[in-house]
Amino acid sequence: MVDKEFIRKRHFVDGWSIHELSKNCKISRQSVRKMLEDAEVPKYRLTKPRPRRAMERWIPVIEAWIQEEGHFPKKQHYVSSRIYERLQEEYGEEFTAAESTVRYWVRRIRNRPKEAFVPLAADAGELAEADFGRVVVRIKGKETDVHMFVIRLRNSGVIFAHAFSTEKIEAFLEGHRLAFEWFGGVPHDVRYDNPKTAVTKILAGPMRDEHSLLSSLRAHYLFDSDFCRPGEPHEKDQLSNVKHSFEF
């Protein structure tokens, strides 16, 4: 799927020829033509969820403790072994990671580069932001949660929203299709706040393990995607905080 996305973007966006794509990607021209001709919108297929990392739950805890120690004198800062012991003391059998793993994450968290900030501005058609929000709908006196898929164009502020009964991948894909048809075009980039629907694992920096259907979606519509850092909602408008009530 990554090859297909690369090939379609280089051909339709950058103007590469079939010969150039075949040579650079080391695949036959026939295979290149098949990928270029396949314009079908990706469809949802149920797959087995990937197992979560052992440290996924504990990294935010370690980050919070290290942030707290900034108020203490340097001599009172935690060493890695003390953080490991504290995790064992406070979480008991729930915590199963090795001390070497804790040392690795403590070192990585402390050695993060200092933050730099840039204005959240974009030219027309350059950037859109997408997320799910929650809406409470009252139908005949009964409150029902509705999941609102929202895309906002950064430059103009124009918003598209569509209600779904779920936030699963099928709604994620359909929301993009409906939005692009309503806008009458596709933005160059779409920014996300690491939705579990589309991101299977958050890696270092901007890198993500993405759902294969997100790559398929990009290959079809020829846009790029980027992601906010975890816990940094200021990097995009807080579309995920959409909470309204409607009564019918």
Side-chain angles (χ1 to χ4, degrees):
M1 183 53 63
V2 173
D3 289 338
K4 178 181 176 182
E5 180 184 359
F6 177 84
I7 286 169
R8 288 178 59 83
K9 285 183 177 178
R10 296 294 79 76
H11 180 74
F12 292 114
V13 178
D14 299 332
W16 286 26
S17 68
I18 292 176
H19 173 74
E20 288 176 306
L21 290 167
S22 176
K23 182 178 179 180
N24 280 273
C25 299
K26 297 181 180 180
I27 59 177
S28 69
R29 297 185 187 183
Q30 183 180 4
S31 297
V32 171
R33 288 191 181 95
K34 286 183 179 179
M35 292 183 186
L36 295 177
E37 293 169 0
D38 182 11
E40 183 181 0
V41 177
K43 297 179 180 179
Y44 170 72
R45 289 179 298 175
L46 182 64
T47 56
K48 184 178 179 180
R50 297 185 183 185
R52 295 188 174 185
R53 297 176 299 170
M55 283 295 293
E56 183 179 20
R57 175 182 173 185
W58 311 113
I59 292 172
V61 176
I62 296 173
E63 289 175 330
W65 289 348
I66 291 177
Q67 188 174 7
E68 288 175 3
E69 72 181 13
H71 303 290
F72 306 143
K74 192 171 183 179
K75 289 184 179 180
Q76 297 181 20
H77 287 189
Y78 290 115
V79 294
S80 299
S81 58
R82 176 56 191 141
I83 290 179
Y84 175 72
E85 291 171 358
R86 185 176 172 183
L87 286 166
Q88 288 183 314
E89 292 169 1
E90 296 191 15
Y91 296 98
E93 295 181 356
E94 295 180 59
F95 177 73
T96 58
E99 184 175 354
S100 59
T101 305
V102 173
R103 284 201 306 270
Y104 167 81
W105 280 104
V106 170
R107 182 171 62 252
R108 183 169 174 178
I109 292 169
R110 283 194 169 132
N111 291 338
R112 284 175 179 168
K114 293 183 178 180
E115 295 182 333
F117 299 94
V118 296
L120 292 177
D123 294 331
E126 181 183 0
L127 176 65
E129 299 154 346
D131 209 341
F132 272 102
R134 175 176 163 268
V135 175
V136 178
V137 179
R138 189 184 299 274
I139 303 176
K140 295 182 179 180
K142 183 179 180 181
E143 290 189 351
T144 303
D145 284 347
V146 174
H147 303 276
M148 189 72 73
F149 179 82
V150 181
I151 289 188
R152 179 183 183 273
L153 298 179
R154 162 61 66 178
N155 179 268
S156 64
V158 173
I159 292 177
F160 170 85
H162 188 86
F164 291 96
S165 61
T166 178
E167 294 186 14
K168 293 182 179 179
I169 190 66
E170 57 265 42
F172 182 79
L173 299 175
E174 181 70 1
H176 283 78
R177 183 186 70 81
L178 294 172
F180 296 155
E181 290 179 359
W182 188 78
F183 288 139
V186 179
H188 184 276
D189 288 271
V190 180
R191 180 173 293 159
Y192 305 97
D193 192 13
N194 302 292
K196 293 182 179 179
T197 302
V199 177
T200 58
K201 184 185 293 185
I202 298 175
L203 306 176
M207 303 302 294
R208 303 289 185 271
D209 275 351
E210 301 172 359
H211 197 294
S212 61
L213 287 178
L214 176 56
S215 294
S216 181
L217 188 75
R218 288 199 308 261
H220 176 78
Y221 287 110
L222 306 176
F223 68 90
D224 293 326
S225 61
D226 60 76
F227 301 89
C228 298
R229 291 172 298 167
E232 302 291 344
H234 59 268
E235 293 190 348
K236 71 172 185 62
D237 284 352
Q238 298 185 25
L239 296 178
S240 57
N241 290 333
V242 175
K243 293 185 180 181
H244 297 293
S245 296
F246 297 92
E247 188 164 344
F248 298 95

